[in-house]
Amino acid sequence: MMDATTTTPLDLPALIETYLARCVIEGKSPRTVRAYRETLGRFVRCLQEDGAPLDPDAVRPDHVIAYLVRYAQHSPDTRHRYFREVRCFCTWLRAAGYTENDPFRGLRNVGLPQKIVPPFTPAEIQTLLARCNEGTSVGSRDQALLLTLLDTGVRCAEAVALDLDDCDFATRRLHVRHGKGDKARVVPFAARCADALSTYLLDRGTEPGPLFLSARYGRLHPGVRLGVNGLKIRLRTLGREAGIPKVHAHRFRHTFATWAIAHDARELDVQHLLGHSSPDMVRRYSATYRSAQAAERHHAFSPGDQMLAGIPDLRS
């Protein structure tokens, strides 16, 4: 089926370009568009290698299955994304009137296990901060970074995108201008974070530009923004030096959320502060907190202990 205004049949590569242009127009981030391009390009290459048609009317479920089978050994997250992104494209093809064909009919995506990300403990946060050498400019930057991640829950990319002008010490607010989906928001920070940022600025200076600077040969590199990969590497390094596994920005974000929920913050407030468009992710944080709370309370109602209270140890 072709749109009435279309005179030349379009194959999948041409339609992919139209789809990606539509994603740009709708405000999808360059990173998201790039990921879509890679996934859809991979799908087309698989079809070509299998000798399958590139006509949207002729792609069948068995072609999609052959594509998915190639990645059956990948992680569930990767497989879920490869399925989801191609299915979204095919759904758009039908909605836009390019075809009535549904090559995903009868197919279900792989289920994703719900992972429990343990929040940092106070002792772990103190250990990480202690690994930052306060006597150096890089150390003061690292302390400011850790406390900013912890106290605001900003994403990795959001943290490194901050400029000095985004930091308002009078109101203790950070203006996140480049959130996910290019959505801006304002997040507060408290006294300890403010102190760490103020100390860092004594080394950084007050020149406009990136808030968190890259480091070179153990010194801050003036005017050069710390990148996402640079932040990830630095967090892993601090974690390794502190003997704490899985130190990454999302775990700080998770810690922020679970700590807020534990101290009676409303889910709606947490959703806004974290920049989520729906409450679904916040409910996952809540579930993690409730699971941890249930485990802590188990000792008070343990059937094994309560039902056998006063009975000698079975091993005796």
Side-chain angles (χ1 to χ4, degrees), residues 68 79-87 104 108-109:
L68 296 171
R79 292 162 57 198
H80 192 277
R81 182 169 66 85
Y82 287 0
F83 183 105
R84 183 182 69 247
E85 291 177 355
V86 176
R87 181 178 59 185
F104 278 81
R108 295 178 62 184
N109 204 348

Side-chain angles (χ1 to χ4, degrees), residues 93-262:
L93 287 176
R94 296 199 308 279
Y98 289 107
T99 183
E100 294 180 351
N101 180 39
D102 179 13
F104 278 81
R105 59 186 179 276
L107 301 181
R108 295 178 62 184
N109 204 348
V110 62
L112 290 178
Q114 183 171 337
K115 300 176 182 178
I116 295 180
V117 179
F120 289 113
T121 65
E124 287 175 328
I125 291 296
Q126 293 166 21
T127 302
L128 286 169
L129 289 171
R131 294 305 307 175
C132 305
N133 189 340
E134 293 185 72
T136 67
S137 60
V138 174
S140 67
R141 180 207 64 181
D142 290 347
Q143 283 206 348
L145 259 171
L146 294 183
L147 283 167
T148 298
L149 292 171
L150 178 68
D151 211 33
T152 67
V154 293
R155 299 177 176 92
C156 179
E158 294 170 345
V160 299
L162 291 169
D163 288 333
L164 180 59
D165 290 343
D166 297 327
C167 187
D168 187 339
F169 283 95
T171 60
R172 289 184 182 169
R173 298 289 189 270
L174 286 178
H175 190 172
V176 180
R177 301 180 188 277
H178 304 288
K180 190 172 183 180
D182 214 25
K183 297 173 184 173
R185 70 185 188 281
V186 174
V187 295
F189 57 91
R192 294 296 291 268
C193 182
D195 289 344
L197 285 167
S198 297
T199 300
Y200 163 58
L201 291 181
L202 295 176
D203 292 312
R204 178 205 176 277
T206 57
E207 299 80 11
L211 176 59
F212 293 114
L213 301 180
S214 179
R216 194 174 182 182
Y217 305 119
R219 296 182 179 180
L220 296 178
H221 196 182
V224 179
R225 188 182 303 276
L226 176 67
V228 169
N229 286 336
L231 175 54
K232 290 179 178 179
I233 291 170
R234 189 60 189 146
L235 292 177
R236 285 198 298 266
T237 300
L238 288 171
R240 184 171 62 251
E241 293 174 350
I244 300 172
K246 298 182 179 179
V247 176
H248 48 76
H250 184 71
R251 193 172 173 195
F252 282 93
R253 188 169 166 83
H254 189 88
T255 302
F256 172 89
T258 53
W259 196 262
I261 292 167

